[in-house]
Amino acid sequence: MKFKTTILLMTIMLSILTSCKKDVEKSTAEKTEEITYQGKEISLENDQKIDSLIAKMTLEEKVGMLHGNSMFSNGGVERLGIPELKMADGPLGIREEISRDSWAPAGWDNDFATYYPAAGSVAATWNPELSYVFGNSVGQEARARDKDMILSPAINIIRTPLGGRTYEYFTEDPFLNKKLSVPFIVGIQDNDVMACVKHFAVNNQETNRGTVDVLVDERTLRELYLPAYKAAVTEAHAYSLMGAYNKFRGDYLCENDYMLNQILRGEWGFKGIVVSDWAAVHSTVKTLENGLDIEMGTPKPFNEFFLADKLVEAAKAGEISEEEINKHVKHILRVLFQVKAIDGENRIKGSLATEAHYKDAYNIAAESIVLLKNNKNLLPLQLDGVKSIAVIGNNAMKKNALGGFGAGVKTKREVTPLEGLQNRLPKDIKINYAEGYLERYSKNENNQKEEVTLDGPVTVETLDEVKLNEAIDAAKNSDMAIIFAGSNRDYETEASDRKDLSLPFGQKELIEKVLGINPNTIVVMIAGAPFDINTIKEKSSALIWSWFNGSEGGNALADVILGTVNPSGKLPWTMPKKIEDSPAHATHSFPGGESVTYKEGLLVGYRWFDTKNIEPLYPFGYGLSYTTFEFSDLKTNKQTYSDKDVIEVTFNIKNSGDFDGKEVAQLYVSNPNSKLERASQELKGFKKVDIQKGTSKNVTILLPIKELGYYNVDKKGWIVEPGTYKIRIGNSSRAIKGDVSISVN
């Protein structure tokens, strides 16, 4: 007995020591940079085997690998053990199985998947670890569905608030973009599946996307639109990229020598596959010689693709060498070996729609929700004395996993906001639901989706009188009200940009009427892109911004409303007061016609608003909490640096409120005496910190001096300008809590 007691005591002591060690490690980790994500490079060890396979292939078999053989696969060579490369859409989760030769669903009963929050939600978490969680989780689902490639993530810069795919992209800022893109890609590829990073590049509008020629100066291209793609290739080692629909400087991006050969493969050393967007190819020889590997497309006979029979004919006529064809086949085979699709011993099997994956979706959703306003402390919801709650709005019941022109997810679980409240509220509280407004669209002859235009979904703005009266009655006869408004994936959609920032379906009038009846009203906007909520901001006391937030979105939203989760989301883009304030619109350079010139240059998003002193409705990086945070003791490890140094920026954050919470510290850099055109400040670091109430944490952000560089067009490289820089710390681009100056030699 004495021996057992001694062993027990020793075990307890070891546990305590281990716990202390973890606490020390955690404390130390808070003083270092965020986790660094590095992908696995494409191996060349199978090149001899690959050359042997290619030598055994006929011309027709090689060409068969360079174009679609079904809607989501290329051709394999069965006799040589080369499988088809099987693809799946994946921005919101793994798309349901479709027919081989059409967009019609295949009708499977085993392709239900997890619906994940959209990329805009991930960006709003400002948490690279959750970006990795998303990628890793959806990568597991891709393998469970026997896929080799996920057509995700989409990492184009948000240039206009009206973009139909804003919800699908991360952010307006290149630094935040690359810091979220890299872990996402690594997470996917850790599961023996290729990430296909899209849409390369300068693909920033849906209007005329298939024809528009984008004209942007070289410095802007390098500093804003390419950093995330470069990081995807050089840090995450993405196995594939997707060429965009549009032109760049006169050439379509799927046959653009400068972008695909000179930059992507030449400068960045890309060894993977370049896949076309669907039906984005316009030539045969030029496309292949200028860097594309696989042509995918919309329904038509697959042998009629540019890289099908026409390529065989071109090769036989001597218009293109078989050596050129071999090079592209080799790209494909290398990556098939890389993900163990060939000789795939111990290839990850994956798992689909598990509780663990639903929890991943919940965790992302919970950290993405942004608290915009909380004047009367209506939030978190205090239930003492509350017997009834009016829940108003079509969005309380709207499901977004499917819908719109782009890829969705067939899922068995999508918790709506109303269901989330029903799951979380005490059963003795009565919920009075009223739809409030109808999601109605007018006939729109121009919105045929064949030639993409700015005509978008045309909505009926008149409120239905019966629905309005039901909402008013619910608000009158309830202790408080929650309105769920905003958008949906039928309104924000691939293939059309919005006409303006107006809320659709008469929602503005509905919200104003309810606010006038019941002052205890919380307004929840569910959308992926900015809207005109000027009046709602002024008249409401409590305002929340949520997203197309996945299978567990309703539960996460209810937990934020009730205070189980303290909101920590931050806006990943600027919300303008009016569309004319946004740079692409202020410069009258959207949407363009045959071509579009990015006249705003370097000043995209908050860079424009801050440099031009234009007040936004809500700034980039903005988001409130149920607690309060105080920043202090900002300093750097020294005052003068060389261009190869790393600045250690340290400061303290105190949680001085009544709730545990997470704050996003944002590091902006300014070079006020620069001889060049530069934004007034640029995001160059951030860290999300979890702090218990009444406690403080010392935080360190590591800032490599190279991040202060600009792209020198004449020297074709990055240069750090000597001089004095200001390092600013805040919790949005307009809420700077302190600054310190440093010098660079």
Side-chain angles (χ1 to χ4, degrees):
M1 180 64 74
K2 185 176 180 181
F3 177 76
K4 290 183 178 179
T5 302
T6 302
I7 292 296
L8 179 59
L9 287 170
M10 290 177 64
T11 302
I12 293 171
M13 288 299 295
L14 181 60
S15 176
I16 292 170
L17 287 170
T18 303
S19 176
C20 291
K21 182 174 182 288
K22 288 179 180 177
D23 288 342
V24 170
E25 289 172 345
K26 183 178 180 183
S27 177
T28 303
E30 287 156 9
K31 294 186 178 182
T32 62
E33 195 179 15
E34 66 273 4
I35 296 171
T36 299
Y37 295 90
Q38 191 75 26
K40 299 174 186 174
E41 292 191 55
I42 294 174
S43 172
L44 306 182
E45 66 181 14
N46 293 299
D47 275 13
Q48 188 173 353
K49 187 182 294 185
I50 289 169
D51 291 338
S52 176
L53 283 171
I54 292 173
K56 297 173 184 176
M57 294 168 66
T58 66
L59 173 64
E60 287 76 12
E61 287 173 333
K62 295 172 187 176
V63 169
M65 292 185 65
L66 305 184
H67 65 84
N69 186 46
S70 76
M71 295 302 295
F72 278 103
S73 68
N74 72 340
V77 185
E78 187 175 356
R79 71 181 183 87
L80 297 177
I82 301 171
E84 294 181 331
L85 194 165
K86 299 177 287 296
M87 310 172 188
D89 264 325
L92 300 172
I94 302 304
R95 185 175 184 158
E96 69 179 313
E97 204 69 26
I98 64 168
S99 303
R100 284 191 62 86
D101 57 359
S102 79
W103 292 109
W108 292 10
D109 60 4
N110 62 347
D111 58 345
F112 291 93
T114 304
Y115 163 35
Y116 293 90
S121 314
V122 179
T125 71
W126 286 63
N127 189 339
E129 292 180 46
L130 285 178
S131 193
Y132 176 86
V133 165
F134 188 142
N136 189 263
S137 194
V138 79
Q140 293 172 31
E141 302 223 339
R143 286 303 311 127
R145 287 272 303 281
D146 195 30
K147 303 302 180 185
D148 304 304
M149 177 187 290
I150 303 176
L151 307 178
S152 181
I155 64 172
N156 298 104
I157 289 288
I158 297 168
R159 180 176 178 251
T160 166
L162 301 182
R165 301 182 83 165
T166 295
Y167 76 92
E168 195 178 333
Y169 301 148
F170 285 125
T171 176
E172 67 189 25
D173 179 74
F175 183 85
L176 180 61
N177 201 18
K178 72 179 181 180
K179 289 299 182 182
L180 294 172
S181 299
V182 168
F184 194 104
I185 295 161
V186 173
I188 288 174
Q189 296 187 167
D190 277 352
N191 291 283
D192 297 333
V193 62
M194 310 169 204
C196 186
V197 185
K198 58 187 187 182
H199 311 84
F200 188 67
V202 291
N203 179 239
N204 307 104
Q205 62 188 64
E206 296 301 284
T207 306
N208 302 327
R209 67 177 182 175
T211 57
V212 69
D213 186 10
V214 175
L215 306 175
V216 56
D217 69 89
E218 190 70 11
R219 188 175 160 210
T220 298
L221 174 72
R222 299 289 186 148
E223 291 188 21
L224 293 187
Y225 295 99
L226 293 188
Y229 288 103
K230 183 179 180 181
V233 172
T234 62
E235 297 175 30
H237 297 295
Y239 298 156
S240 62
L241 267 73
M242 181 185 291
Y245 280 118
N246 52 295
K247 295 178 182 177
F248 174 67
R249 297 178 185 167
D251 283 327
Y252 284 105
L253 278 158
C254 286
E255 55 182 45
N256 196 297
D257 175 68
Y258 182 59
M259 295 296 284
L260 299 183
N261 285 338
Q262 295 183 46
I263 293 179
L264 181 62
R265 293 198 187 274
E267 291 183 28
W268 300 347
F270 180 65
K271 297 182 177 66
I273 305 169
V274 180
V275 181
S276 78
D277 207 337
W278 268 232
V281 174
H282 299 269
S283 66
T284 299
V285 174
K286 183 178 180 181
T287 291
L288 204 64
E289 289 183 340
N290 284 359
L292 194 82
D293 294 305
I294 301 177
E295 176 190 5
M296 299 302 294
T298 50
K300 69 176 181 180
F302 298 112
N303 67 300
E304 294 181 10
F305 282 17
F306 286 97
L307 299 188
D309 288 354
K310 293 175 183 177
L311 181 56
V312 173
E313 293 166 8
K316 289 180 177 179
E319 296 170 10
I320 191 169
S321 68
E322 194 159 347
E323 182 182 2
E324 179 70 34
I325 292 171
N326 291 349
K327 179 173 70 176
H328 298 278
V329 172
K330 191 168 188 174
H331 292 161
I332 298 168
L333 288 172
R334 273 181 181 161
V335 183
L336 284 172
F337 273 104
Q338 183 76 19
V339 298
K340 304 175 185 175
I342 303 176
D343 293 349
E345 289 185 16
N346 302 316
R347 192 179 191 189
I348 290 173
K349 301 297 184 185
S351 55
L352 189 65
T354 64
E355 287 301 321
H357 292 177
Y358 289 133
K359 186 63 165 61
D360 291 339
Y362 171 88
N363 289 340
I364 296 165
E367 283 201 27
S368 74
I369 295 164
V370 183
L371 179 62
L372 296 178
K373 187 175 181 181
N374 193 24
N375 272 14
K376 294 182 179 179
N377 290 321
L378 285 180
L379 293 165
L381 200 58
Q382 303 301 311
L383 298 179
D384 291 345
V386 175
K387 297 180 179 178
S388 59
I389 298 175
V391 174
I392 298 169
N394 176 278
N395 261 3
M397 287 290 287
K398 178 70 176 179
K399 292 179 182 285
N400 287 298
L402 295 171
F405 189 80
V409 180
K410 185 171 78 173
T411 185
K412 290 183 177 179
R413 183 184 300 181
E414 182 179 356
V415 180
T416 66
L418 177 58
E419 291 168 342
L421 288 170
Q422 290 169 335
N423 292 340
R424 300 302 201 244
L425 284 170
K427 300 306 179 187
D428 59 347
I429 292 180
K430 183 181 180 184
I431 296 177
N432 297 315
Y433 173 66
E435 189 174 14
Y437 66 90
L438 294 174
E439 180 192 351
R440 295 185 292 180
Y441 300 91
S442 301
K443 187 177 181 182
N444 179 11
E445 298 293 346
N446 293 322
N447 188 30
Q448 299 301 312
K449 307 296 187 189
E450 294 171 5
E451 181 60 34
V452 181
T453 72
L454 196 62
D455 291 328
V458 178
T459 65
V460 176
E461 298 303 319
T462 305
L463 289 170
D464 179 88
E465 189 173 347
V466 173
K467 296 292 182 184
L468 175 60
N469 288 335
E470 289 174 354
I472 289 172
D473 286 343
K476 281 181 179 178
N477 296 312
S478 301
D479 295 320
M480 64 170 305
I482 307 174
I483 303 175
F484 293 94
S487 182
N488 57 58
R489 285 195 56 248
D490 291 311
Y491 188 73
E492 290 184 64
T493 176
E494 179 183 350
S496 69
D497 296 314
R498 291 181 289 145
K499 292 185 210 48
D500 54 41
L501 292 174
S502 301
L503 281 171
F505 317 124
Q507 293 178 77
K508 181 173 176 288
E509 180 185 352
L510 169 68
I511 294 168
E512 289 178 359
K513 287 183 181 296
V514 173
L515 287 171
I517 291 165
N518 192 329
N520 295 322
T521 296
I522 298 162
V523 180
V524 180
M525 306 300 301
I526 297 173
F531 279 86
D532 179 359
I533 57 172
N534 285 272
T535 303
I536 295 165
K537 175 189 175 184
E538 294 304 317
K539 293 187 176 182
S540 64
S541 296
L543 182 57
I544 290 173
W545 191 277
S546 190
W547 313 85
F548 307 140
N549 241 346
S551 286
E552 285 285 330
N555 286 332
L557 191 49
D559 285 341
V560 166
I561 291 171
L562 293 171
T564 306
V565 170
N566 190 349
S568 63
K570 303 280 186 178
L571 293 177
W573 34 247
T574 304
M575 192 182 300
K577 287 187 173 181
K578 56 183 186 296
I579 192 61
E580 294 81 10
D581 289 343
S582 288
H585 303 270
T587 56
H588 306 290
S589 55
F590 174 87
E594 291 184 4
S595 66
V596 57
T597 301
Y598 288 10
K599 294 180 182 178
E600 73 282 359
L602 295 164
L603 302 182
V604 171
Y606 71 91
R607 298 168 183 231
W608 171 273
F609 284 83
D610 293 348
T611 304
K612 301 292 185 181
N613 293 315
I614 299 169
E615 185 182 357
L617 185 62
Y618 287 108
F620 173 79
Y622 178 88
L624 302 177
S625 172
Y626 293 151
T627 192
T628 53
F629 296 100
E630 298 174 4
F631 289 68
S632 63
D633 299 329
L634 173 64
K635 55 190 175 185
T636 56
N637 60 319
K638 55 183 182 176
Q639 206 279 319
T640 303
Y641 297 86
S642 68
D643 60 1
K644 291 182 172 57
D645 285 341
V646 175
I647 308 170
E648 294 183 19
V649 183
T650 60
F651 50 94
N652 182 271
I653 306 178
K654 180 181 180 181
N655 183 340
S656 54
D658 298 325
F659 295 83
D660 297 343
K662 297 177 181 179
E663 178 63 298
V664 179
Q666 301 165 36
L667 189 158
Y668 295 88
V669 175
S670 173
N671 185 355
N673 299 313
S674 175
K675 297 176 183 178
L676 304 159
E677 178 194 8
R678 302 195 80 152
S680 63
Q681 61 178 7
E682 301 172 4
L683 182 75
K684 293 298 179 181
F686 63 92
K687 182 172 286 189
K688 194 162 197 175
V689 188
D690 191 354
I691 310 176
Q692 293 183 341
K693 62 182 179 181
T695 67
S696 299
K697 283 190 178 178
N698 291 316
V699 181
T700 297
I701 295 178
L702 301 183
L703 172 60
I705 289 291
K706 66 180 182 180
E707 288 289 356
L708 308 183
Y710 71 94
Y711 186 80
N712 186 295
V713 177
D714 294 331
K715 296 184 178 180
K716 297 183 178 179
W718 292 85
I719 292 177
V720 177
E721 191 179 13
T724 300
Y725 291 78
K726 278 194 173 181
I727 310 294
R728 298 169 171 169
I729 291 291
N731 56 8
S732 85
S733 65
R734 292 296 179 100
I736 302 302
K737 306 300 183 180
D739 63 70
V740 63
S741 295
I742 59 104
S743 296
V744 178
N745 293 331

